[in-house]
Amino acid sequence: MTGVRSLGIKTWRLFWFPCLAVLGVQCFSYPDCVQDATSQVTLALKTANGSAVREVTFTRITVAGSAETFYANQKVSSLQLPLNANTREVSYTFEYEGLVKNLTLSYTTELQLISPECPVQTYFLDLAVVSSSFGDGQVLILNPVVLNNGAVHVEIRL
């Protein structure tokens, strides 16, 4: 009986091992079309000294050149706002607590083609503050490369 069991396991190994190897190689022949680029910059809101998260109720946030409003009458501690691949900078207007503040960010863009089967990805790099009415040292760039990885790119101290 042990000879039959042994033969069965060897036969199984001889049959399935090549099948699994072919499947494994097949997986590597397809491109990885994971989208790690994003056109959304993430901003975290902090207290004036940066020691704690701050929640703010925004009347609205607007982006220059767009009719769309963001975070209207919403209380939040972080924001995701759009960047524009057709320009090298974007200006935001923040209305909250009776105040109006402006922030302009600059960036460069880079197009990358992973594979002909994948769409072209636009990467936003070299994120920097051009101007801010929040005050000196109140807007910090934490991550100058904008990726879809959950990282905070900009910290605003209010």
Side-chain angles (χ1 to χ4, degrees), residues 98-111:
L99 300 170
V100 177
K101 300 287 185 174
N102 297 299
L103 173 64
T104 300
L105 300 174
S106 67
Y107 45 83
T108 59
T109 57
E110 181 179 293
L111 298 176

Side-chain angles (χ1 to χ4, degrees), residues 77-99:
S77 61
S78 68
L79 308 163
Q80 284 197 322
L81 296 172
L83 298 172
N84 185 345
N86 297 320
T87 64
R88 295 295 175 243
E89 62 182 46
V90 63
S91 295
Y92 305 108
T93 301
F94 301 86
E95 297 178 32
Y96 65 99
E97 300 172 358
L99 300 170

Side-chain angles (χ1 to χ4, degrees), residues 4-16:
V4 172
R5 280 188 184 166
S6 168
L7 182 60
I9 291 172
K10 286 182 183 177
T11 303
W12 184 88
R13 285 182 186 164
L14 290 173
F15 174 75
W16 286 109

Side-chain angles (χ1 to χ4, degrees), residues 38-58:
T38 182
S39 62
Q40 299 287 311
V41 63
T42 301
L43 301 95
L45 306 176
K46 295 284 188 108
T47 56
N49 63 6
S51 64
V53 172
R54 172 138 189 245
E55 286 191 331
V56 175
T57 302
F58 287 94

